[in-house]
Amino acid sequence: MRFAAILSLVCASGACACTIPVFRYALDRWEADKFHLVLPASAAQDTALQDVLRPLRANGKANMDITTSRDAAVTKAELRNSRESSQIVWSGELDKTSLAALLDSPARKKIVESILAGDSFIWVIADNGSPQDAAEVERIEKRLKFLEQVASLPLQDPNDPDSQLGPGPPLKLKFTTLRLRRDDPAEKVLLKMLAGPKGELDPASTSFAAPVFGKGRVLGAWPLALLDDATLEEASLFLVGRCGCRIKNENPGWDLLLNLDWETALPEAASVSRGTHSPPALAVAQPKAAPEVMTISGEDVKQEGTSKWGGVPMAGILFGLVLIVVTLYRLRKA
């Protein structure tokens, strides 16, 4: 009920709504909020750690800021939701391995692949594998398949300057699910981020689902026990409906930490969709094509308006006949 009320307010505020659906407007125009990695003061003397962090500080792709704390009470690295937030997503000893786990994970790679392929959104479902949860997952997947069949994208006006799409995959309607185990150690950071910055939902004890769209934006997170068909429909159709409010912070949701350069990835996704370019990670060496030999048969020549008579085109035969007639006429006059 509360989420439905929020969506109503968001939609009502869009007097100047464009025709771009919410999920694509977010991908084109909303930059991901930055997470805040806080280092203990001792990290400044750790040369090995500074070498690991240097590429992130110089030209980092992830939506993350890095600072060193002056507070002596901070003895371990902490990943916080933002500079303004004290909510801790992760804390521990930071090294090359733990930093890699903060920045990426197998599920986050799949989320990025789906977004760059043009999927409207990805409902990430975290459960404990129990028969009860399995039944809820099946219900959600069936309902999303139905919604995908009956939903439609807003009609696009190519002449509207406010409704021009940015570079990226083709605009299409596709609903995707991604199922995770709540106890998966490789996804511990992702599960914490999906559950939300306020800590209202504990992934360790609650099975839940959260739709991801745009540049890794989470619309909300719902316990499976409370995610009924009506809520699932409201959230999904909101994301494929026309963008009612262009201001990111006036829309519900929060962002994930993703290690991706969107300014490069989106044009590459557009090129891949046109078949003109493959990103290096996906490029596959192809054997050189043999020269193509085209054979033109007699039937092919007829179709082009010529005839075959001993290998001589009809035009040549007609020219010869005319030449003979002219020669005979001149001889006769002489």
Side-chain angles (χ1 to χ4, degrees):
M1 292 292 291
R2 184 177 63 178
F3 183 72
I6 292 174
L7 293 189
S8 299
L9 290 174
V10 170
C11 296
S13 66
C16 57
C18 64
T19 60
I20 302 176
V22 173
F23 75 87
R24 185 53 185 259
Y25 194 92
L27 183 64
D28 289 346
R29 293 167 170 83
W30 291 351
E31 295 300 321
D33 296 336
K34 289 183 178 292
F35 283 74
H36 188 201
L37 180 61
V38 182
L39 306 177
S42 60
Q45 285 73 44
D46 189 336
T47 55
L49 178 59
Q50 293 303 319
D51 289 341
V52 171
L53 293 173
R54 189 171 292 111
L56 293 176
R57 285 173 164 154
N59 192 25
K61 301 178 292 182
N63 51 315
M64 182 177 70
D65 288 330
I66 305 173
T67 61
T68 301
S69 176
R70 297 180 181 179
D71 186 354
V74 178
T75 59
K76 295 183 178 180
E78 296 178 353
L79 180 66
R80 302 174 183 175
N81 284 285
S82 68
R83 285 180 176 268
E84 295 74 28
S85 174
S86 59
Q87 185 72 22
I88 297 176
V89 178
W90 170 91
S91 66
E93 298 297 330
L94 191 65
D95 54 24
K96 186 175 181 179
T97 301
S98 59
L99 180 61
L102 287 183
L103 295 175
D104 211 349
S105 67
R108 275 182 276 183
K109 284 184 171 66
K110 292 180 181 179
I111 290 172
V112 168
E113 289 175 2
S114 294
I115 291 172
L116 294 179
D119 293 359
S120 307
F121 50 75
I122 305 94
W123 273 93
V124 182
I125 308 172
D127 70 282
N128 62 6
S130 67
Q132 182 179 358
D133 279 359
E136 291 296 322
V137 173
E138 183 179 3
R139 175 185 63 83
I140 291 171
E141 290 177 342
K142 286 183 177 180
R143 188 62 182 175
L144 287 174
K145 287 181 181 179
F146 169 76
L147 291 175
E148 185 180 299
Q149 294 174 352
V150 300
S152 62
L153 293 174
L155 294 176
Q156 301 300 300
D157 182 0
N159 300 318
D160 182 3
D162 291 332
S163 298
Q164 300 301 311
L165 298 178
L171 182 63
K172 62 182 180 181
L173 191 72
K174 185 176 181 182
F175 301 171
T176 305
T177 59
L178 175 61
R179 188 178 180 184
L180 304 179
R181 285 293 297 266
R182 294 192 342 240
D183 57 355
D184 187 346
E187 305 299 344
K188 187 174 182 179
V189 175
L190 173 60
L191 290 166
K192 184 76 172 180
M193 292 188 291
L194 286 169
K198 296 182 179 180
E200 296 177 349
L201 194 154
D202 182 10
S205 59
T206 305
S207 298
F208 68 98
V212 181
F213 65 104
K215 294 183 175 75
R217 183 127 180 115
V218 183
L219 182 64
W222 290 268
L224 294 188
L226 301 179
L227 184 59
D228 56 14
D229 287 351
T231 303
L232 187 68
E233 180 176 338
E234 287 169 357
S236 300
L237 297 186
F238 167 74
L239 290 176
V240 299
R242 58 192 298 166
C243 189
C245 181
R246 305 180 187 186
I247 302 175
K248 176 184 177 182
N249 291 336
E250 291 185 3
N251 284 267
W254 55 87
D255 292 320
L256 301 176
L257 174 59
L258 298 176
N259 191 26
L260 182 69
D261 181 359
W262 290 100
E263 290 187 4
T264 301
L266 289 173
E268 285 184 350
S271 298
V272 170
S273 68
R274 294 193 298 267
T276 57
H277 174 71
S278 294
L282 301 179
V284 179
Q286 298 291 338
K288 292 184 178 179
E292 183 179 359
V293 179
M294 181 178 292
T295 303
I296 302 178
S297 65
E299 293 299 322
D300 295 326
V301 175
K302 287 183 181 180
Q303 293 174 2
E304 294 298 324
T306 60
S307 177
K308 187 177 180 184
W309 188 359
V312 182
M314 178 62 76
I317 296 172
L318 293 176
F319 178 76
L321 291 175
V322 171
L323 184 61
I324 292 172
V325 171
V326 172
T327 303
L328 291 174
Y329 176 76
R330 289 179 176 177
L331 290 174
R332 194 172 172 185
K333 287 190 69 175

